[in-house]
PDB file of all heavy atoms in Angstrom:
ATOM      1  N   ALA X 153      -4.663  -1.745  -5.273  1.00  0.00           N
ATOM      2  CA  ALA X 153      -3.247  -1.564  -5.629  1.00  0.00           C
ATOM      3  C   ALA X 153      -2.774  -0.124  -5.435  1.00  0.00           C
ATOM      4  O   ALA X 153      -1.608   0.112  -5.142  1.00  0.00           O
ATOM      5  CB  ALA X 153      -3.017  -2.004  -7.075  1.00  0.00           C
ATOM      6  N   ALA X 154      -3.675   0.839  -5.583  1.00  0.00           N
ATOM      7  CA  ALA X 154      -3.316   2.249  -5.456  1.00  0.00           C
ATOM      8  C   ALA X 154      -3.173   2.703  -3.998  1.00  0.00           C
ATOM      9  O   ALA X 154      -2.500   3.702  -3.722  1.00  0.00           O
ATOM     10  CB  ALA X 154      -4.362   3.113  -6.155  1.00  0.00           C
ATOM     11  N   LEU X 155      -3.775   1.991  -3.085  1.00  0.00           N
ATOM     12  CA  LEU X 155      -3.868   2.468  -1.701  1.00  0.00           C
ATOM     13  C   LEU X 155      -2.535   2.588  -0.955  1.00  0.00           C
ATOM     14  O   LEU X 155      -2.328   3.612  -0.289  1.00  0.00           O
ATOM     15  CB  LEU X 155      -4.854   1.607  -0.911  1.00  0.00           C
ATOM     16  CG  LEU X 155      -6.281   1.586  -1.489  1.00  0.00           C
ATOM     17  CD1 LEU X 155      -7.188   0.737  -0.604  1.00  0.00           C
ATOM     18  CD2 LEU X 155      -6.843   2.977  -1.674  1.00  0.00           C
ATOM     19  N   PRO X 156      -1.631   1.633  -1.024  1.00  0.00           N
ATOM     20  CA  PRO X 156      -0.371   1.806  -0.288  1.00  0.00           C
ATOM     21  C   PRO X 156       0.394   3.073  -0.693  1.00  0.00           C
ATOM     22  O   PRO X 156       0.934   3.779   0.161  1.00  0.00           O
ATOM     23  CB  PRO X 156       0.422   0.539  -0.623  1.00  0.00           C
ATOM     24  CG  PRO X 156      -0.622  -0.470  -0.958  1.00  0.00           C
ATOM     25  CD  PRO X 156      -1.720   0.314  -1.649  1.00  0.00           C
ATOM     26  N   GLY X 157       0.416   3.374  -1.977  1.00  0.00           N
ATOM     27  CA  GLY X 157       1.090   4.583  -2.448  1.00  0.00           C
ATOM     28  C   GLY X 157       0.408   5.846  -1.965  1.00  0.00           C
ATOM     29  O   GLY X 157       1.069   6.831  -1.615  1.00  0.00           O
ATOM     30  N   ARG X 158      -0.901   5.810  -1.923  1.00  0.00           N
ATOM     31  CA  ARG X 158      -1.648   6.977  -1.434  1.00  0.00           C
ATOM     32  C   ARG X 158      -1.389   7.204   0.052  1.00  0.00           C
ATOM     33  O   ARG X 158      -1.150   8.339   0.481  1.00  0.00           O
ATOM     34  CB  ARG X 158      -3.149   6.785  -1.657  1.00  0.00           C
ATOM     35  CG  ARG X 158      -3.544   6.798  -3.109  1.00  0.00           C
ATOM     36  CD  ARG X 158      -5.023   6.558  -3.237  1.00  0.00           C
ATOM     37  NE  ARG X 158      -5.447   6.439  -4.616  1.00  0.00           N
ATOM     38  CZ  ARG X 158      -6.701   6.223  -4.980  1.00  0.00           C
ATOM     39  NH1 ARG X 158      -7.661   6.089  -4.063  1.00  0.00           N
ATOM     40  NH2 ARG X 158      -7.019   6.127  -6.257  1.00  0.00           N
ATOM     41  N   ILE X 159      -1.436   6.130   0.830  1.00  0.00           N
ATOM     42  CA  ILE X 159      -1.185   6.251   2.275  1.00  0.00           C
ATOM     43  C   ILE X 159       0.236   6.758   2.510  1.00  0.00           C
ATOM     44  O   ILE X 159       0.470   7.623   3.361  1.00  0.00           O
ATOM     45  CB  ILE X 159      -1.440   4.905   2.990  1.00  0.00           C
ATOM     46  CG1 ILE X 159      -2.934   4.558   2.951  1.00  0.00           C
ATOM     47  CG2 ILE X 159      -0.926   4.940   4.427  1.00  0.00           C
ATOM     48  CD1 ILE X 159      -3.845   5.506   3.716  1.00  0.00           C
ATOM     49  N   ALA X 160       1.191   6.254   1.747  1.00  0.00           N
ATOM     50  CA  ALA X 160       2.582   6.707   1.872  1.00  0.00           C
ATOM     51  C   ALA X 160       2.699   8.191   1.531  1.00  0.00           C
ATOM     52  O   ALA X 160       3.404   8.941   2.216  1.00  0.00           O
ATOM     53  CB  ALA X 160       3.498   5.875   0.988  1.00  0.00           C
ATOM     54  N   ALA X 161       2.015   8.628   0.488  1.00  0.00           N
ATOM     55  CA  ALA X 161       2.057  10.040   0.092  1.00  0.00           C
ATOM     56  C   ALA X 161       1.413  10.925   1.159  1.00  0.00           C
ATOM     57  O   ALA X 161       1.927  12.018   1.457  1.00  0.00           O
ATOM     58  CB  ALA X 161       1.353  10.231  -1.255  1.00  0.00           C
ATOM     59  N   LEU X 162       0.312  10.467   1.736  1.00  0.00           N
ATOM     60  CA  LEU X 162      -0.340  11.236   2.802  1.00  0.00           C
ATOM     61  C   LEU X 162       0.570  11.341   4.025  1.00  0.00           C
ATOM     62  O   LEU X 162       0.693  12.412   4.622  1.00  0.00           O
ATOM     63  CB  LEU X 162      -1.683  10.595   3.179  1.00  0.00           C
ATOM     64  CG  LEU X 162      -2.790  10.708   2.143  1.00  0.00           C
ATOM     65  CD1 LEU X 162      -3.952   9.784   2.509  1.00  0.00           C
ATOM     66  CD2 LEU X 162      -3.269  12.143   2.010  1.00  0.00           C
ATOM     67  N   ALA X 163       1.210  10.232   4.374  1.00  0.00           N
ATOM     68  CA  ALA X 163       2.136  10.235   5.512  1.00  0.00           C
ATOM     69  C   ALA X 163       3.324  11.155   5.243  1.00  0.00           C
ATOM     70  O   ALA X 163       3.753  11.907   6.124  1.00  0.00           O
ATOM     71  CB  ALA X 163       2.598   8.821   5.826  1.00  0.00           C
ATOM     72  N   ALA X 164       3.842  11.117   4.021  1.00  0.00           N
ATOM     73  CA  ALA X 164       4.977  11.975   3.659  1.00  0.00           C
ATOM     74  C   ALA X 164       4.597  13.450   3.707  1.00  0.00           C
ATOM     75  O   ALA X 164       5.449  14.305   3.960  1.00  0.00           O
ATOM     76  CB  ALA X 164       5.486  11.605   2.265  1.00  0.00           C
ATOM     77  N   ALA X 165       3.318  13.738   3.497  1.00  0.00           N
ATOM     78  CA  ALA X 165       2.834  15.119   3.560  1.00  0.00           C
ATOM     79  C   ALA X 165       2.542  15.547   5.000  1.00  0.00           C
ATOM     80  O   ALA X 165       2.077  16.664   5.229  1.00  0.00           O
ATOM     81  CB  ALA X 165       1.585  15.271   2.694  1.00  0.00           C
ATOM     82  N   GLY X 166       2.788  14.649   5.955  1.00  0.00           N
ATOM     83  CA  GLY X 166       2.628  15.005   7.360  1.00  0.00           C
ATOM     84  C   GLY X 166       1.308  14.628   7.996  1.00  0.00           C
ATOM     85  O   GLY X 166       1.041  15.015   9.130  1.00  0.00           O
ATOM     86  N   HIS X 167       0.490  13.882   7.291  1.00  0.00           N
ATOM     87  CA  HIS X 167      -0.800  13.459   7.846  1.00  0.00           C
ATOM     88  C   HIS X 167      -0.649  12.207   8.698  1.00  0.00           C
ATOM     89  O   HIS X 167       0.148  11.327   8.370  1.00  0.00           O
ATOM     90  CB  HIS X 167      -1.798  13.145   6.724  1.00  0.00           C
ATOM     91  CG  HIS X 167      -2.196  14.317   5.917  1.00  0.00           C
ATOM     92  ND1 HIS X 167      -3.007  15.312   6.387  1.00  0.00           N
ATOM     93  CD2 HIS X 167      -1.878  14.661   4.639  1.00  0.00           C
ATOM     94  CE1 HIS X 167      -3.192  16.217   5.445  1.00  0.00           C
ATOM     95  NE2 HIS X 167      -2.505  15.845   4.372  1.00  0.00           N
ATOM     96  N   ALA X 168      -1.434  12.120   9.771  1.00  0.00           N
ATOM     97  CA  ALA X 168      -1.567  10.855  10.484  1.00  0.00           C
ATOM     98  C   ALA X 168      -2.407   9.961   9.580  1.00  0.00           C
ATOM     99  O   ALA X 168      -3.394  10.412   8.998  1.00  0.00           O
ATOM    100  CB  ALA X 168      -2.261  11.069  11.820  1.00  0.00           C
ATOM    101  N   THR X 169      -2.011   8.714   9.432  1.00  0.00           N
ATOM    102  CA  THR X 169      -2.723   7.809   8.534  1.00  0.00           C
ATOM    103  C   THR X 169      -3.105   6.526   9.264  1.00  0.00           C
ATOM    104  O   THR X 169      -2.648   6.267  10.370  1.00  0.00           O
ATOM    105  CB  THR X 169      -1.860   7.463   7.310  1.00  0.00           C
ATOM    106  OG1 THR X 169      -0.644   6.857   7.740  1.00  0.00           O
ATOM    107  CG2 THR X 169      -1.565   8.695   6.461  1.00  0.00           C
ATOM    108  N   GLY X 170      -3.929   5.728   8.611  1.00  0.00           N
ATOM    109  CA  GLY X 170      -4.377   4.476   9.193  1.00  0.00           C
ATOM    110  C   GLY X 170      -5.165   4.732  10.470  1.00  0.00           C
ATOM    111  O   GLY X 170      -5.881   5.728  10.583  1.00  0.00           O
ATOM    112  N   GLY X 171      -5.029   3.860  11.439  1.00  0.00           N
ATOM    113  CA  GLY X 171      -5.738   3.996  12.703  1.00  0.00           C
ATOM    114  C   GLY X 171      -5.386   5.271  13.453  1.00  0.00           C
ATOM    115  O   GLY X 171      -6.213   5.820  14.179  1.00  0.00           O
ATOM    116  N   ALA X 172      -4.166   5.777  13.274  1.00  0.00           N
ATOM    117  CA  ALA X 172      -3.748   7.012  13.941  1.00  0.00           C
ATOM    118  C   ALA X 172      -4.549   8.218  13.460  1.00  0.00           C
ATOM    119  O   ALA X 172      -4.675   9.211  14.175  1.00  0.00           O
ATOM    120  CB  ALA X 172      -2.258   7.242  13.732  1.00  0.00           C
ATOM    121  N   ALA X 173      -5.097   8.160  12.268  1.00  0.00           N
ATOM    122  CA  ALA X 173      -5.878   9.273  11.730  1.00  0.00           C
ATOM    123  C   ALA X 173      -7.213   9.422  12.443  1.00  0.00           C
ATOM    124  O   ALA X 173      -7.831  10.471  12.380  1.00  0.00           O
ATOM    125  CB  ALA X 173      -6.102   9.090  10.234  1.00  0.00           C
ATOM    126  N   LYS X 174      -7.638   8.382  13.108  1.00  0.00           N
ATOM    127  CA  LYS X 174      -8.916   8.421  13.808  1.00  0.00           C
ATOM    128  C   LYS X 174      -8.845   9.305  15.055  1.00  0.00           C
ATOM    129  O   LYS X 174      -9.829   9.928  15.428  1.00  0.00           O
ATOM    130  CB  LYS X 174      -9.343   7.004  14.194  1.00  0.00           C
ATOM    131  CG  LYS X 174     -10.784   6.891  14.565  1.00  0.00           C
ATOM    132  CD  LYS X 174     -11.184   5.433  14.652  1.00  0.00           C
ATOM    133  CE  LYS X 174     -12.681   5.320  14.449  1.00  0.00           C
ATOM    134  NZ  LYS X 174     -13.108   3.965  14.236  1.00  0.00           N
ATOM    135  N   ARG X 175      -7.677   9.356  15.650  1.00  0.00           N
ATOM    136  CA  ARG X 175      -7.509  10.167  16.860  1.00  0.00           C
ATOM    137  C   ARG X 175      -7.381  11.621  16.484  1.00  0.00           C
ATOM    138  O   ARG X 175      -6.679  11.975  15.543  1.00  0.00           O
ATOM    139  CB  ARG X 175      -6.275   9.708  17.608  1.00  0.00           C
ATOM    140  CG  ARG X 175      -6.359   8.275  18.117  1.00  0.00           C
ATOM    141  CD  ARG X 175      -5.108   7.970  18.909  1.00  0.00           C
ATOM    142  NE  ARG X 175      -4.525   6.677  18.825  1.00  0.00           N
ATOM    143  CZ  ARG X 175      -4.188   5.965  17.775  1.00  0.00           C
ATOM    144  NH1 ARG X 175      -4.398   6.406  16.589  1.00  0.00           N
ATOM    145  NH2 ARG X 175      -3.622   4.781  17.878  1.00  0.00           N
ATOM    146  N   LYS X 176      -8.029  12.469  17.240  1.00  0.00           N
ATOM    147  CA  LYS X 176      -7.934  13.904  16.985  1.00  0.00           C
ATOM    148  C   LYS X 176      -6.599  14.429  17.462  1.00  0.00           C
ATOM    149  O   LYS X 176      -6.092  14.028  18.502  1.00  0.00           O
ATOM    150  CB  LYS X 176      -9.063  14.645  17.705  1.00  0.00           C
ATOM    151  CG  LYS X 176     -10.413  14.340  17.132  1.00  0.00           C
ATOM    152  CD  LYS X 176     -11.470  15.172  17.784  1.00  0.00           C
ATOM    153  CE  LYS X 176     -12.816  14.849  17.165  1.00  0.00           C
ATOM    154  NZ  LYS X 176     -13.883  15.628  17.730  1.00  0.00           N
ATOM    155  N   ARG X 177      -6.029  15.311  16.666  1.00  0.00           N
ATOM    156  CA  ARG X 177      -4.763  15.937  17.041  1.00  0.00           C
ATOM    157  C   ARG X 177      -5.027  17.002  18.083  1.00  0.00           C
ATOM    158  O   ARG X 177      -6.035  17.697  18.060  1.00  0.00           O
ATOM    159  CB  ARG X 177      -4.087  16.584  15.831  1.00  0.00           C
ATOM    160  CG  ARG X 177      -3.578  15.573  14.853  1.00  0.00           C
ATOM    161  CD  ARG X 177      -2.799  16.280  13.794  1.00  0.00           C
ATOM    162  NE  ARG X 177      -2.412  15.322  12.771  1.00  0.00           N
ATOM    163  CZ  ARG X 177      -1.577  15.601  11.817  1.00  0.00           C
ATOM    164  NH1 ARG X 177      -1.055  16.786  11.723  1.00  0.00           N
ATOM    165  NH2 ARG X 177      -1.259  14.703  10.924  1.00  0.00           N
ATOM    166  N   LYS X 178      -4.070  17.167  18.983  1.00  0.00           N
ATOM    167  CA  LYS X 178      -4.183  18.204  20.027  1.00  0.00           C
ATOM    168  C   LYS X 178      -3.487  19.454  19.605  1.00  0.00           C
ATOM    169  O   LYS X 178      -2.592  19.501  18.869  1.00  0.00           O
ATOM    170  CB  LYS X 178      -3.602  17.683  21.333  1.00  0.00           C
ATOM    171  CG  LYS X 178      -4.431  16.557  21.889  1.00  0.00           C
ATOM    172  CD  LYS X 178      -3.831  16.072  23.183  1.00  0.00           C
ATOM    173  CE  LYS X 178      -4.667  14.946  23.734  1.00  0.00           C
ATOM    174  NZ  LYS X 178      -4.147  14.437  24.970  1.00  0.00           N
TER     175      LYS X 178
END
């Protein structure tokens, strides 16, 4: 139950999340 809110907070902080987080940023 906590995970959707955490992912949303990480995304709002500018992080790539979910499958996109696996790719390295250039």
Side-chain angles (χ1 to χ4, degrees):
L155 301 182
R158 292 178 185 180
I159 292 295
L162 290 168
H167 294 288
T169 59
K174 196 168 203 168
R175 297 183 217 51
K176 292 185 179 181
R177 290 187 186 190
K178 293 180 180 180

